[in-house]
Amino acid sequence: MIRLMLAVGIAALLLGSPGRTQEAAISKRAEQKGATISTPSPPTAPMAPDASGALYVAEAIAVTPETRDAFVDCLRSDAHRHWRSLQQAGLLADVSVFETWTVREATEGAPGWTIFVLSHLRPRASASAFFGFGGSRQKFSTPASCTARAGVEVRRVEVLQPTPNSSYPKATLADDAEAVAANVQFVVEYIAVRDTPVSLDEYRNKMRANMGAAMGLMIPQKVFFEFLALETVSVEFSQPGMPAWNNIHVRGFYPGKAAPPETDAALRHVNPGGGGSAGFFGSLKAIRTKAREDVTCALFDLAVR
């Protein structure tokens, strides 16, 4: 009897358990067919499209109500020709134009503006080549034939780069059609982060690990339409008295969902220990202020795609 039990035990050790034997057989067959067996990895936070090396040029332009229609007509004609030429020269990817509806926050006493033009450069295109196209000496994206008119003043021009893992651009004709059909509106935030290397790095890392990753969940779920987080690289022109900022965020939202409750759950998902919306936004108070925040509409008939 003892010899029988020993024999059974030795056989079990040699053959392994039925489950393990089956797994081994499956692995062996897969290896024979050249397949790779991998262990499922735990879920990770969503990642934004790779935007490394991308550059944007932003212009804040003040236009009086009396000049508004003539200025828009100029954008539709002169600016479009200029932007299409930049595209053909391989310097420009797309342009979006936003018009302010409501100013939510503003720096007291600072000049205002009503038009925000955001130009996205082609990969590997430099800002100097973009501004110098055609022998131009002015560091504007919008041609002088439009900006030199009475009642029009360029307030600020800057070059920006995307914050890592925090930009989800929507810049195709199909995207525009979707935004028009859904009546999407856009918030443009002009953000002043404390201008020290430590604070700028802290803000960048918080955006990358929290709101940037959370937008990767919410945009596919149509909680938000679009999100761009951009960091100022250089200020090419600024009128006296203009407020200072070093980040611009563009957030496309659906009607009635400017601050959706889903944001808290998304933030908790990507950073379970971050405290959700209260924890994230509360942690930013010590290192940033807003120079201005606008609710805008995109003028899609002026966009270049």
Side-chain angles (χ1 to χ4, degrees), residues 123-136:
R124 294 180 293 280
S126 68
S128 59
F130 177 83
F131 288 127
F133 178 75
S136 175

Side-chain angles (χ1 to χ4, degrees), residues 97-112:
V97 182
F98 302 88
E99 184 172 21
T100 300
W101 278 358
T102 305
V103 179
R104 283 182 173 174
E105 297 183 39
T107 302
E108 186 175 357

Side-chain angles (χ1 to χ4, degrees), residues 14-168:
L14 291 173
L15 297 175
S17 65
R20 291 187 179 181
T21 303
Q22 187 177 20
E23 290 174 5
I26 292 172
S27 297
K28 186 174 182 179
R29 286 198 301 271
E31 289 173 4
Q32 290 172 347
K33 292 183 178 181
T36 300
I37 302 298
S38 59
T39 303
S41 56
T44 58
M47 297 294 292
D50 182 20
S52 56
L55 289 176
Y56 288 79
V57 171
E59 295 173 291
I61 305 173
V63 181
T64 63
E66 297 79 12
T67 313
R68 187 266 180 196
D69 289 347
F71 177 75
V72 168
D73 286 342
C74 187
L75 292 182
R76 190 175 289 111
S77 56
D78 294 14
H80 253 247
R81 280 195 297 271
H82 177 64
W83 292 334
R84 290 298 184 192
S85 296
L86 284 164
Q87 268 193 329
Q88 292 169 4
L91 297 172
L92 179 67
D94 52 79
V95 179
S96 298
V97 182
F98 302 88
E99 184 172 21
T100 300
W101 278 358
T102 305
V103 179
R104 283 182 173 174
E105 297 183 39
T107 302
E108 186 175 357
W113 57 92
T114 54
I115 298 292
F116 177 67
V117 180
L118 188 62
S119 302
H120 177 204
L121 276 58
R122 288 270 191 197
R124 294 180 293 280
S126 68
S128 59
F130 177 83
F131 288 127
F133 178 75
S136 175
R137 294 185 178 181
Q138 68 167 15
K139 292 195 171 182
F140 298 171
S141 167
T142 306
S145 57
C146 299
T147 58
R149 294 165 174 256
V152 179
E153 293 186 67
V154 178
R155 299 294 198 205
R156 174 166 157 147
V157 181
E158 65 194 288
V159 179
L160 306 105
Q161 64 186 9
T163 298
N165 194 40
S166 302
S167 289
Y168 301 83

